[in-house]
Amino acid sequence: MSSFAGRMKEYPTLSLDRFDRENLHARAYFLSHCHKDHMKGLKGPLLKRKLQFSRTVRLYCSFVTKELLLSNPKYAFWEEYIVPLELESPTQISLVDEASGEKEDVVVTLLPAGHCPGSVMFLFEGSQGNVLYTGDFRLAVGDASRIEHLHSGNRVKDIQSVYLDSTFYDPRFYQIPTREVCLNGISVLIGNWISQSPYHVVWLNCKAAYGYEYLFTNLGEEFNTRIHVNHLAMFKKMPEILSYVTTDRRMQIHACRHPKDEEFFQGNRLPCGCTAPDGTPLRIISIKPSTMWFGERTKKTNVIIKTGASSFRACFSFHSSYSELKDFLSYLRPVNIYPSVIPLGRTLTEVTQMLKLMCRNQSDQAAFIYKPLGVLKRNRVQRPTQGDTKHTNTHTDNRDRCSPQHLFSDQEEETHEHNDNFSLSLSASLSNHSSQNMDSCLPDTLILQPEQGGREQGDVSTNTKTESDDLILPSELEELSTSQASQASSDFDIACTPESKVPRPDELSQLYRKLASGEEVVIRKGSQGFA
């Protein structure tokens, strides 16, 4: 559920996904997709009146979002004020103050968000820097690197701020199965059920009006059928979806909805009230796609869970997982990250602090720690495996650990230990990206530790540290710089130069001390000493 108030700090004269309160004064509006929590105030009388008296205020969105919005009569008045924009086509927009005539130009680019039909992210470029508003989105690991307009030439654009869909920015949702994995599990379950007889029927208990079209089209294709839905008007200009849905109730797969869905199903009835023509009782199972329910489990679980005699839950997400979000942010490296959603069970302060660790300034300080000569050689940074995120999060603990499970389970898997620090680790969710497979088994904090195996000749064994002593504190630098081991190490052999001599130990000690403290080192001409 979006908690975004509608305004961005960099461009406060425009409003996104919020159309009430202070947003009534906006010079332009942007709608990322047609889900109700992003449409607050969109049909309000005050906004409607503003539009009637304005010559410049417009609503910008994708073409699909426009069609979905106008398919609802309650939003028909927007038709003359909507400006649909092409995906991945930068467009300059003038933000005009109609009272003073003041104008600000910004370039906006719509990027695919992967959340539901028509959903987009907005990239704004102007005098206040580049700002990305994600809306609701789901991108897989590595997808950001394939979005052309996030790059300038071969480099990632300098992103000042990201307003992030942080729905699952919580280690409980470390790894969520891809839609392909969930589709496979649902397909197997449906195929086994409806193949038994024409009276075996499946009800997809889908709560949102949009977003499940991926399931409808793929299930329709696989089983050569159509999915029963309540209405077709919203899809009338989307033939790629329309050909897989129908209002004909004589289908074996239903996604129809009713205000009292649960009550209907308890009586072994479909929400649409469909019955067999010959009166034979229907055998119905329900499948409820969801993610939050899985994250609330206290034990490791699977993609498909049987929750009752004829009911199942399927882990299906419209939002990026914790590991996918970390990959996305570590690739863009924005200066600021603002959460648009507060994860369940978290506070705004908690999620804001967690996201600060992924900001460019914080990450750079964590990733690049200056060490004086003599420390760098004997300590190395433990690098994550290929594909891991570049930045670190010190809040991650053993909730991030994962292990493969089976695709189906009649009940939640029994475990010998009840681990309160549960991570969402689901079957078949392991992808080819090692960041999803391995991140949970690695610490997210930056670790400095001795190199394994043999040391360079001249290193002294007394400098060996345990893992708990790996991190070198500033207070230890002076001691390290003056240690005889560092001075004797072959790391510091001095090349022979005409008229040169080997520095004395006290001269080296003085040099290391100055390097460690950042003081300027001056070599006096005609002298072998250091100043």
Side-chain angles (χ1 to χ4, degrees):
M1 183 68 68
S2 176
S3 56
F4 181 62
R7 295 290 188 95
M8 300 188 299
K9 294 181 179 181
E10 295 79 8
Y11 299 103
T13 59
L14 55 84
S15 290
L16 305 100
D17 289 353
R18 193 70 186 258
F19 309 90
D20 58 357
R21 300 178 181 178
E22 66 273 9
N23 298 290
L24 291 170
H25 305 293
R27 301 179 187 178
Y29 295 99
F30 296 83
L31 179 62
S32 65
H33 65 288
C34 284
H35 278 166
K36 287 185 178 179
D37 58 324
H38 292 257
M39 300 168 64
K40 292 179 181 177
L42 191 57
K43 61 177 185 291
L46 292 178
L47 181 57
K48 185 175 182 180
R49 182 174 180 178
K50 174 181 179 174
L51 294 174
Q52 292 172 345
F53 289 94
S54 173
R55 301 179 60 184
T56 62
V57 175
R58 295 293 182 266
L59 173 68
Y60 300 92
C61 61
S62 67
F63 279 87
V64 172
T65 294
K66 175 188 175 182
E67 295 302 328
L68 291 172
L69 184 67
L70 296 181
S71 69
N72 188 330
K74 295 179 181 179
Y75 300 101
F77 71 90
W78 271 105
E79 184 165 12
E80 60 182 294
Y81 306 107
I82 294 182
V83 179
L85 301 178
E86 294 282 357
L87 282 176
E88 301 181 304
S89 178
T91 304
Q92 181 170 305
I93 295 174
S94 294
L95 306 174
V96 180
D97 184 341
E98 293 181 288
S100 66
E102 177 189 348
K103 184 177 74 169
E104 179 184 12
D105 290 332
V106 296
V107 174
V108 61
T109 307
L110 276 60
L111 306 175
H115 177 68
C116 69
S119 63
V120 296
M121 302 185 286
F122 293 106
L123 175 63
F124 296 94
E125 300 171 89
S127 60
Q128 301 305 309
N130 302 328
V131 179
L132 179 66
Y133 173 79
T134 68
D136 285 350
F137 81 125
R138 185 167 192 192
L139 297 182
V141 169
D143 279 356
S145 65
R146 292 185 280 272
I147 300 178
E148 177 185 353
H149 292 280
L150 290 178
H151 301 78
S152 179
N154 294 326
R155 295 187 175 186
V156 178
K157 286 183 177 178
D158 181 12
I159 304 295
Q160 178 67 24
S161 298
V162 171
Y163 291 79
L164 181 74
D165 171 16
S166 48
T167 301
F168 294 134
Y169 197 74
D170 187 316
R172 289 179 300 164
F173 302 96
Y174 183 88
Q175 183 173 307
I176 299 174
T178 64
R179 291 179 179 177
E180 292 78 14
V181 169
C182 183
L183 172 65
N184 178 63
I186 291 177
S187 297
V188 172
L189 179 59
I190 290 178
N192 290 339
W193 186 255
I194 65 176
S195 62
Q196 297 182 46
S197 80
Y199 304 104
H200 283 71
V201 176
V202 173
W203 174 44
L204 298 174
N205 185 0
C206 305
K207 289 298 184 183
Y210 313 108
Y212 299 95
E213 291 75 17
Y214 172 83
L215 289 179
F216 299 165
T217 55
N218 282 278
L219 291 174
E221 180 77 26
E222 179 167 351
F223 297 109
N224 192 28
T225 186
R226 292 190 177 193
I227 314 301
H228 175 246
V229 296
N230 292 71
H231 307 288
L232 299 179
M234 64 189 77
F235 305 123
K236 62 183 179 181
K237 294 188 178 181
M238 289 181 276
E240 68 279 6
I241 298 175
L242 189 61
S243 59
Y244 292 105
V245 292
T246 180
T247 54
D248 185 348
R249 299 189 300 176
R250 297 170 299 176
M251 298 290 119
Q252 280 189 278
I253 305 176
H254 289 245
C256 43
R257 304 172 69 210
H258 189 277
K260 297 181 179 180
D261 282 344
E262 301 295 344
E263 179 181 322
F264 262 71
F265 189 70
Q266 285 175 3
N268 201 31
R269 296 173 294 175
L270 290 165
C272 61
C274 178
T275 58
D278 61 1
T280 302
L282 297 178
R283 300 286 304 279
I284 307 170
I285 61 170
S286 73
I287 304 174
K288 189 170 187 176
S290 59
T291 308
M292 202 70 70
W293 182 88
F294 282 83
E296 293 169 353
R297 300 305 93 196
T298 57
K299 291 179 285 187
K300 296 177 182 179
T301 187
N302 309 297
V303 173
I304 306 291
I305 292 290
K306 187 172 184 179
T307 57
S310 56
S311 57
F312 296 81
R313 291 264 189 173
C315 189
F316 184 82
S317 179
F318 304 122
H319 304 269
S320 290
S321 68
Y322 179 70
S323 59
E324 290 166 341
L325 290 171
K326 287 186 69 177
D327 174 81
F328 178 75
L329 295 173
S330 64
Y331 185 80
L332 294 183
R333 301 180 67 201
V335 177
N336 305 299
I337 306 170
Y338 302 104
S340 297
V341 184
I342 303 174
L344 187 67
R346 294 282 184 180
T347 65
L348 178 59
T349 301
E350 286 177 332
V351 69
T352 300
Q353 290 300 318
M354 291 169 68
L355 288 170
K356 277 185 179 179
L357 297 172
M358 301 299 294
C359 293
R360 184 186 310 165
N361 292 342
Q362 292 281 349
S363 331
D364 286 352
Q365 292 171 9
F368 304 105
I369 302 175
Y370 174 77
K371 300 293 178 187
L373 296 175
V375 178
L376 290 174
K377 186 62 179 270
R378 282 189 299 280
N379 292 277
R380 66 184 178 84
V381 177
Q382 178 175 317
R383 299 293 183 186
T385 56
Q386 180 184 2
D388 196 5
T389 57
K390 298 178 183 177
H391 304 305
T392 61
N393 186 350
T394 55
H395 287 262
T396 307
D397 51 26
N398 59 0
R399 286 179 294 185
D400 287 0
R401 301 186 183 276
C402 60
S403 59
Q405 303 291 324
H406 298 293
L407 185 63
F408 294 98
S409 175
D410 287 342
Q411 59 185 359
E412 295 179 30
E413 184 177 329
E414 294 297 329
T415 58
H416 296 291
E417 291 183 32
H418 294 275
N419 184 3
D420 292 333
N421 294 325
F422 165 74
S423 73
L424 184 59
S425 168
L426 303 171
S427 74
S429 60
L430 301 179
S431 69
N432 291 328
H433 300 288
S434 61
S435 61
Q436 284 191 340
N437 296 343
M438 299 300 297
D439 278 3
S440 60
C441 303
L442 294 174
D444 278 344
T445 50
L446 189 70
I447 296 176
L448 296 175
Q449 68 179 27
E451 290 184 346
Q452 301 300 320
R455 292 178 171 274
E456 293 282 334
Q457 182 179 1
D459 281 355
V460 180
S461 61
T462 55
N463 282 339
T464 304
K465 291 181 177 287
T466 62
E467 288 187 2
S468 61
D469 294 328
D470 289 338
L471 190 60
I472 308 299
L473 300 177
S475 61
E476 300 176 60
L477 294 177
E478 185 172 348
E479 178 184 351
L480 284 168
S481 65
T482 58
S483 69
Q484 293 299 318
S486 292
Q487 296 171 20
S489 172
S490 60
D491 300 345
F492 306 109
D493 289 343
I494 298 175
C496 292
T497 304
E499 300 181 358
S500 68
K501 66 177 181 179
V502 178
R504 297 190 306 273
D506 62 322
E507 290 177 336
L508 279 176
S509 176
Q510 181 184 5
L511 173 60
Y512 297 155
R513 196 177 299 113
K514 287 187 175 184
L515 288 173
S517 62
E519 295 181 28
E520 183 178 3
V521 178
V522 179
I523 302 177
R524 295 174 181 171
K525 293 183 179 180
S527 171
Q528 299 299 329
F530 298 94

